[in-house]
Amino acid sequence: MMNLLSALYWFDEALQAALREAGIPNVTRAQSMLIANISAGEHRATRIARNLGVTRQAISLMLGELEARGIVEIVPDPDDRRARIVRFAEEANETRRAASKILHYLELKLVERIGLPAYHGLRDAMRMDWGDPPAVPPEVIVDAEADQPTGHAADQF
């Protein structure tokens, strides 16, 4: 899991540095993950909170900050009058285009560094449906100190 997080941090740190260099105000990593959820099509605060593993109140606070900066807007849901949805604000379009160009550039740099076959393997694996998270049986955890793994699961194949 740390390898996946390291890859995420690699992209986010490079993105934030490039935006800062371009004079575009930064967002926190948590706000960046919230924005990624909106980019992926998630528009309900409760679902974003669940995806990020934080409270609805934490998402509301972040959304308030992003709304004050003109990055997102919270509007009535056209399908449910009682609900509200979050979407990108029009004034954030230039920043979104810049971020998209930066991420495309970073993918090209990644291909240069790891090679096209490894990149395609990584991309294809990330696009696959991994199914629901599995339930870990209790016997895997029992006497965990006696059965310390010596390497990654993939090393055993």
Side-chain angles (χ1 to χ4, degrees):
M1 185 167 133
M2 283 310 300
N3 291 332
L4 288 173
L5 286 174
S6 293
L8 173 85
Y9 298 160
W10 184 87
F11 272 99
D12 191 55
E13 288 169 16
L15 172 64
Q16 295 299 334
L19 290 172
R20 187 171 42 255
E21 189 71 26
I24 298 170
N26 280 16
V27 296
T28 66
R29 181 161 286 143
Q31 290 171 335
S32 186
M33 297 302 99
L34 186 153
I35 290 168
N37 269 264
I38 298 168
S39 293
E42 193 56 69
H43 300 287
R44 295 197 178 274
T46 52
R47 291 183 51 97
I48 294 171
R50 184 176 45 220
N51 289 348
L52 297 179
V54 299
T55 65
R56 171 72 170 83
Q57 291 77 14
I59 292 298
S60 292
L61 180 63
M62 281 193 283
L63 286 173
E65 292 169 6
L66 293 173
E67 188 173 36
R69 291 177 58 189
I71 297 172
V72 301
E73 57 187 10
I74 302 167
V75 298
D77 184 339
D79 298 328
D80 181 353
R81 289 179 172 231
R82 298 168 297 149
R84 296 172 46 87
I85 58 172
V86 60
R87 65 183 184 199
F88 290 111
E90 285 291 321
E91 53 267 30
N93 284 344
E94 186 177 326
T95 300
R96 288 177 51 220
R97 279 191 291 277
S100 179
K101 289 178 182 180
I102 292 165
L103 290 171
H104 179 72
Y105 175 83
L106 292 174
E107 284 191 45
L108 293 175
K109 294 311 276 183
L110 183 60
V111 169
E112 284 179 18
R113 292 183 180 189
I114 70 173
L116 195 56
Y119 171 80
H120 281 275
L122 177 63
R123 183 201 60 203
D124 293 347
M126 293 296 112
R127 287 180 174 171
M128 292 175 75
D129 180 359
W130 294 7
D132 292 333
V136 178
E139 59 269 16
V140 170
I141 311 168
V142 174
D143 200 16
E145 290 182 12
D147 296 332
Q148 286 293 323
T150 57
H152 300 287
D155 294 341
Q156 298 175 14
F157 294 101

